[in-house]
Amino acid sequence: MMTILNRSLLTFCLIVLSSQASFSNVDSVSVRIIEVANDSIGPWTFNIQEIDSIDNTGMISVKSKRKWDGTTWINDRKESFYFDTSGNLAEHVKYIWDGSTFIPQIKREVIYNSSGKLFSEISYQFNAGNWQASTKQEHIYTQQSNDSIVTSYTQISGNWIATDQQVFEYTINFMPKSEIRQSWNGAQWETVSKSAYSYNTAGLIKTTDSVFYYLSPNYLLSRVVNYFYTSSGKLSQKINRDFISYQYSDQDTDYIETEIDYEYTMVYTYNPFDLLSELHGSQTQGSSQAWAFENHYFQYNDHNLISSSFSHTGTNVTENFERQSSYYYNLLNANFSVSGSSCTGCPDGSVHASVNGGVAGYQVKITPDAGMISGTN
C-alpha cells in the first residue's frame, strides 16, 4: 500500500540514517554531490555532499556538509537558519561534527529596527557550554534607508569596544559612491582605506570598483575591477587588477607612482535562456610562478536550476578537476511506503517511512504531534 503524505497536516523531519540532525518544516531538499579527479577523464571520486533543506517559503533552514571517507558519507558541519515572522533572518548557528553529535561553534543574532532595517548583528562563540558574545556591528541609515555608518565592536571584559567603522556616500541615484574604512585608535577614528564605485551614463549599472589605501596625505591605488555587460545587461567580462603604489617626496613635491602587479580576467557566456553556461578565468599579468586559471561549465534542469557542472582550475604548477551533480526533491505530497509494522508498539509512538524516489539515506519521520496521515493510493 502506498500512502500520500499531506504536508498541510504534517511536520516533516528529514533524518539521515547516519545520525544527521533533524530538519523541521522541510518542503524541499537540494543535494549537491561534488566529485574530484586527477584529469578530465577520471576515475571520479566522491568528495563532498552538500544538502540544503528548504521550507515552504523558499528559505533555506539548514545547510549541511558531509565528506566521503572512501566507503560512506561522514558528517562534517551544518548551519541552521531561523527567521522572524516577517521572513527576516533572526539567527544563524554553525556546528561541527565531533564524531557523535553536532557541536555549536558560532552564532549570529540579527536585530532589526522598527522599519525592518538591519540594526545590529551580534556574534557569539560557544565555550564551555555557554554562548559568549564576541563581536557586534551596528547600522545607522540615511533618510533614504541606505547604510550611512556601520560600526564594529569587540567585547572585552563585558564591555563593547569600538574597533572599525565604515562611512558610506551615495550618488544622486542613491547608488553607492564611496566607502571609507576607519580604525579606532582609542581616541579618534583613523582612515585606513577607501572604496569608490563608478557607473554607466544612466548611473545605475556599475562599471568600476576601485580600492585605495590611505597613506597621509594621499589615497594610493590598490585594486581596480572593471565590469562589462551584454546587450541584455548580463555581466560578460570582469577584469581584476592589483596595483603597487609608491609615494615619495622630492624637493617639497609629493609624487605617486603606480604599476600593475596582477591582472585576472573572467569571461561569462550564456545559453539561449540567458543562464550562465560557461565561465572562464585566466591570469594575464603577475608572477609566472603560479599562473592561475579556471574553467567552469553549467547545465540546467527544466526549472532553470543547475543540474550539473564541471570545473577545471589551477595554476601552471598544479591543476584540479571537479564535477558537481545537483538534485532537487520537492516533498509536497511525497509518496512513501511504510517500512515495518504499524506504529502500535513503537517506543516513541512514531512511524518511520522511506520516501519513494527520495534522497538516499533519508527517511520521513512522522512524530505523534505532527498531525495525521490522509488518503491512500
Side-chain angles (χ1 to χ4, degrees):
M1 175 182 292
M2 298 299 295
T3 306
I4 299 298
L5 189 63
N6 190 327
R7 189 185 53 76
S8 65
L9 297 176
L10 298 175
T11 298
F12 291 95
C13 292
L14 282 179
I15 300 180
V16 162
L17 299 184
S18 57
S19 302
Q20 177 79 2
S22 298
F23 306 108
S24 299
N25 300 319
V26 174
D27 184 78
S28 59
V29 177
S30 168
V31 181
R32 291 173 297 279
I33 305 294
I34 299 173
E35 301 171 273
V36 295
N38 292 324
D39 54 45
S40 60
I41 300 176
W44 292 91
T45 303
F46 285 145
N47 185 30
I48 295 173
Q49 182 188 68
E50 298 174 337
I51 306 168
D52 294 345
S53 295
I54 305 167
D55 64 22
N56 57 10
T57 67
M59 306 297 288
I60 295 176
S61 58
V62 176
K63 296 177 70 71
S64 58
K65 176 182 175 182
R66 301 196 292 177
K67 293 183 176 180
W68 184 253
D69 72 348
T71 304
T72 188
W73 292 108
I74 302 298
N75 291 328
D76 181 46
R77 61 195 64 213
K78 77 181 184 82
E79 302 176 53
S80 296
F81 304 86
Y82 304 92
F83 303 88
D84 61 22
T85 54
S86 298
N88 297 315
L89 178 65
E91 187 175 284
H92 175 203
V93 185
K94 293 184 178 181
Y95 305 79
I96 61 170
W97 182 254
D98 73 347
S100 60
T101 189
F102 281 101
I103 305 298
Q105 297 292 301
I106 300 173
K107 179 174 69 172
R108 180 166 61 100
E109 289 183 350
V110 187
I111 301 171
Y112 300 86
N113 61 22
S114 58
S115 300
K117 299 289 291 184
L118 176 62
F119 170 68
S120 69
E121 298 178 76
I122 303 176
S123 295
Y124 298 81
Q125 301 282 342
F126 194 73
N127 185 28
N130 297 301
W131 288 111
Q132 297 180 353
S134 57
T135 60
K136 178 175 70 170
Q137 275 194 341
E138 290 186 343
H139 296 248
I140 298 175
Y141 293 93
T142 66
Q143 291 183 343
Q144 292 76 32
S145 296
N146 292 316
D147 270 320
S148 175
I149 299 176
V150 178
T151 306
S152 299
Y153 303 82
T154 187
Q155 190 170 94
I156 301 176
S157 301
N159 298 311
W160 289 112
I161 307 300
T163 56
D164 303 285
Q165 183 172 269
Q166 299 160 261
V167 181
F168 299 87
E169 185 180 1
Y170 297 87
T171 68
I172 59 174
N173 294 319
F174 308 117
M175 301 293 287
K177 179 180 179 181
S178 66
E179 173 189 340
I180 295 177
R181 293 181 176 271
Q182 301 173 320
S183 178
W184 183 251
N185 65 6
Q188 62 183 4
W189 291 107
E190 293 183 338
T191 300
V192 176
S193 64
K194 176 182 179 180
S195 298
Y197 312 99
S198 300
Y199 300 86
N200 63 355
T201 52
L204 298 176
I205 299 178
K206 185 167 63 173
T207 57
T208 307
D209 288 344
S210 301
V211 179
F212 306 82
Y213 65 91
Y214 186 70
L215 184 61
S216 181
N218 299 303
Y219 284 104
L220 305 184
L221 185 62
S222 174
R223 173 172 294 180
V224 173
V225 182
N226 297 111
Y227 303 90
F228 304 89
Y229 301 88
T230 66
S231 57
S232 61
K234 291 283 189 177
L235 182 64
S236 62
Q237 188 181 58
K238 183 169 68 172
I239 302 177
N240 302 267
R241 296 184 178 95
D242 290 342
F243 294 86
I244 298 176
S245 296
Y246 308 90
Q247 174 179 284
Y248 61 93
S249 298
D250 183 16
Q251 297 180 350
D252 298 326
T253 301
D254 290 335
Y255 294 92
I256 297 176
E257 292 187 3
T258 300
E259 62 183 51
I260 296 179
D261 180 55
Y262 178 86
E263 182 179 88
Y264 193 88
T265 300
M266 302 180 71
V267 178
Y268 303 77
T269 303
Y270 299 87
N271 64 20
F273 301 99
D274 243 3
L275 299 172
L276 181 65
S277 59
E278 297 183 21
L279 169 59
H280 302 281
S282 60
Q283 181 180 336
T284 47
Q285 292 192 51
S287 171
S288 60
Q289 298 302 312
W291 207 260
F293 69 89
E294 59 185 301
N295 298 291
H296 307 277
Y297 304 86
F298 307 92
Q299 292 185 339
Y300 298 83
N301 60 21
D302 294 339
H303 300 286
N304 291 334
L305 298 172
I306 293 177
S307 59
S308 64
S309 65
F310 171 81
S311 298
H312 178 206
T313 62
T315 68
N316 59 330
V317 179
T318 62
E319 57 183 343
N320 305 290
F321 296 86
E322 179 181 296
R323 69 181 183 184
Q324 175 178 305
S325 301
S326 299
Y327 307 92
Y328 303 89
Y329 301 92
N330 190 341
L331 301 184
L332 181 62
N333 291 329
N335 288 330
F336 70 91
S337 57
V338 177
S339 60
S341 58
S342 67
C343 66
T344 303
C346 294
D348 60 356
S350 64
V351 176
H352 291 266
S354 297
V355 176
N356 221 16
V359 184
Y362 286 79
Q363 292 182 332
V364 171
K365 181 178 181 180
I366 309 166
T367 58
D369 60 348
M372 300 171 55
I373 302 173
S374 65
T376 58
N377 182 20

